[in-house]
């Protein structure tokens, strides 16, 4: 019986030891993940910035960089910057990744909007990339690809949801 208990103790000790070696400490994993995501987010913003001033065209083909609509822009930027494939439409893009609250936005998050500040519908009609420092990187209307202020503007009032895909 003593030998049986000793063997169980040894097996459990080895199992715990292996688990401690294989599984990183929570703090270590979060730091590595944060640094990796930050690097990828910086690449996304740098890539998007290269298209600044490119004209907007609703329904633009995802195979061109001569014009963009909001979702072809985000689709192109994420693919070129980090190899991340996104669906073609903003509504479908709003289903990928993980949900993020407006107060927890990080650089590189996708931010989704409804059509106007007065509609009660939560139907998504626009997508932008959160660029950090209260800025959105996106394309619409006359400015084409541009930066816009987020908080305290009609963009914030039109906010529906945000997703982290990095």
């Amino acid at each position: 019986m003593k030998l049986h208990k000793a063997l169980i103790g040894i097996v459990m000790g080895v199992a715990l030891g292996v688990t401690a070696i294989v599984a990183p400490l929570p703090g270590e994993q979060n730091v590595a993940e944060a640094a990796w995501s930050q690097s990828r987010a910086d690449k996304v913003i740098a890539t998007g910035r290269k298209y600044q001033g490119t004209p907007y065209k609703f329904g633009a083909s995802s195979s061109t960089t001569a014009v963009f609509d909001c979702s072809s822009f985000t689709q192109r930027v994420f693919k070129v910057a980090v190899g991340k494939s996104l669906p073609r439409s903003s509504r479908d893009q709003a289903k990928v990744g993980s949900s993020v609250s407006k107060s927890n936005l990080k650089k590189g998050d996708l931010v989704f909007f409804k059509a106007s500040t007065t509609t009660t519908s939560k139907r998504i009609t626009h997508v932008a990339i959160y660029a950090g420092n209260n800025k959105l990187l996106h394309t619409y209307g006359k400015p084409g690809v541009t930066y816009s202020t987020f908080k305290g503007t009609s963009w914030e009032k039109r906010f529906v949801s945000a997703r982290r895909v990095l």
Side-chain angles (χ1 to χ4, degrees), residues 41-100:
D42 289 341
K43 286 180 183 177
V44 165
I45 301 306
T47 300
R49 187 179 318 121
K50 291 178 186 176
Y51 297 114
Q52 199 165 358
T54 302
Y56 172 86
K57 181 181 179 191
F58 180 76
S61 169
S62 58
S63 64
T64 183
T65 58
V67 292
F68 290 111
D69 69 8
C70 64
S71 56
S72 71
F73 173 68
T74 54
Q75 187 182 46
R76 171 62 60 132
V77 167
F78 276 82
K79 185 66 172 175
V80 169
V82 295
K84 177 73 175 175
S85 294
L86 293 176
R88 176 61 184 87
S89 75
S90 57
R91 275 179 223 110
D92 288 339
Q93 289 178 10
K95 298 173 187 171
V96 299
S98 57
S99 181
V100 179

Side-chain angles (χ1 to χ4, degrees), residues 14 21 43 85 107-108 124 131-132 156 162-164 166:
V14 169
I21 292 167
K43 286 180 183 177
S85 294
K107 189 186 288 187
I124 292 167
E156 183 179 28
R163 306 291 290 184
R164 186 158 298 146
L166 292 177

Side-chain angles (χ1 to χ4, degrees), residues 14-30:
V14 169
L16 286 172
V18 168
T19 302
I21 292 167
V22 173
L25 294 171
E28 293 172 1
Q29 183 179 11
N30 291 339

